[in-house]
Amino acid sequence: MSLVLIVEDNEKNMKLVRDVLQVKGYETLEATTGEDGIRIATQRLPDLVLMDIQLPGMNGIDALRALRANEATANIPVIAVTASVMQQDRALITDAGFDAYVGKPINLRAFHDAVRRALETGRS
């Protein structure tokens, strides 16, 4: 069973993502800030991180940079899950080094496909 860390500050979005993952048999961890996400990822070393971009305090892009800079978490795949859908936002997210991008509202098929691909391929 894969362990997935969800970093999301919106309670309803957190519940949706958690429930969708748990129904599919994934174990989940939760953080509501980028700082907590980094701490939990470093302590628990999940198989995948789902990262919102708009977070209180440290945003998701800065949190990703911190994960990539840490040898222990550098190879954990990270998927951006965000409502930032403008073309320049997507380019910024892609250029930041996320392994995939899932827009909100979440399309369940696309979400499941992105999670499955990230877990199968990991990071090199």
Side-chain angles (χ1 to χ4, degrees), residues 5-89:
L5 170 60
I6 307 161
V7 185
E8 170 63 66
D9 64 321
N10 180 289
E11 201 174 308
K12 289 178 182 172
N13 290 338
M14 176 72 81
K15 180 181 179 352
L16 171 66
V17 172
R18 176 184 59 232
D19 292 351
V20 164
L21 290 171
Q22 288 179 356
V23 160
K24 290 287 189 177
Y26 297 107
E27 184 180 348
T28 59
L29 299 168
E30 299 175 14
T32 56
T33 67
E35 294 87 351
D36 282 346
I38 293 164
R39 181 181 50 77
I40 293 168
T42 303
Q43 292 171 348
R44 299 290 306 274
L45 300 176
D47 300 299
L48 174 64
V49 175
L50 301 175
M51 181 80 68
D52 187 16
I53 300 299
Q54 301 298 325
L55 293 165
M58 176 185 283
N59 70 36
I61 291 173
D62 290 339
L64 173 71
R65 288 184 183 123
L67 291 173
R68 294 289 187 249
N70 181 334
E71 189 176 313
T73 58
N75 291 320
I76 297 171
V78 182
I79 297 176
V81 182
T82 182
S84 299
V85 294
M86 301 284 289
Q87 193 62 37
Q88 66 266 26
D89 294 332

Side-chain angles (χ1 to χ4, degrees), residues 41 54 65 72 74 77 95 115 117 122:
Q54 301 298 325
R65 288 184 183 123
D95 292 348
V115 168
R117 273 194 310 275

